[in-house]
Amino acid sequence: MGALLSLSRFIDRLNEFVGGNIKWFLLVAVIVCTVNALIRYLFDNSSNAWLELQWYLFAAVFLPGAGYTLLRNEHVRIDVIIGRFSPQARAKVEIFGTLVFLMPVVLLILYLSFPMVWDSFIHSEMSSNA
């Protein structure tokens, strides 16, 4: 039991670190998006590289930030219903939702995406945009 608690604390510390530092990627994403829009509308010029960078930065914010959001209990749920429950009942609903809904989806996504990710990595796949 102590090993699991240690692992849980390590994961929490890692999520705190990532969540505290991911904000810089968000700042860069906003700047890139703004500059790209200004260049596109003011000079009628655009680059797919900037659009790709926006998507990569979004992924770099959203994916690691999900664990931080879950740790801080800021994820979206139906507070209108669960807000009436006792803290113990809310905890049970959270555990049930995580085990029955979140974890199976996460495992399915990992299972289905890993072969494609690995294939892209092995073949040094790059964007098809110029």
Side-chain angles (χ1 to χ4, degrees):
M1 186 68 141
L4 288 177
L5 284 174
S6 294
L7 176 63
S8 176
R9 287 187 191 109
F10 170 76
I11 292 170
D12 287 350
R13 283 193 308 273
L14 181 63
N15 277 323
E16 282 287 346
F17 175 78
V18 169
N21 291 295
I22 206 74
K23 60 188 169 201
W24 299 111
F25 284 111
L26 187 59
L27 176 64
V28 173
V30 168
I31 291 170
V32 167
C33 184
T34 303
V35 169
N36 190 33
L38 287 172
I39 289 172
R40 186 172 60 245
Y41 289 114
L42 293 177
F43 303 110
D44 197 28
N45 190 4
S46 185
S47 168
N48 284 332
W50 290 105
L51 293 173
E52 295 261 336
L53 182 59
Q54 286 175 229
W55 280 106
Y56 294 142
L57 288 168
F58 173 75
V61 170
F62 178 78
L63 296 175
Y68 178 75
T69 303
L70 190 62
L71 174 67
R72 291 299 187 122
N73 202 21
E74 296 291 331
H75 54 288
V76 177
R77 57 182 155 3
I78 306 172
D79 286 331
V80 174
I81 296 170
I82 202 169
R84 298 179 182 167
F85 294 177
S86 69
Q88 293 83 7
R90 282 195 298 255
K92 288 177 183 176
V93 169
E94 291 286 333
I95 291 169
F96 176 80
T98 300
L99 293 176
V100 173
F101 297 112
L102 179 64
M103 292 310 294
V105 170
V106 168
L107 294 173
L108 181 65
I109 289 171
L110 284 173
Y111 175 75
L112 293 175
S113 66
F114 184 77
M116 290 181 279
V117 171
W118 183 252
D119 187 55
S120 295
F121 178 74
I122 292 298
H123 293 101
S124 301
E125 185 177 318
M126 300 178 105
S127 172
S128 60
N129 289 331

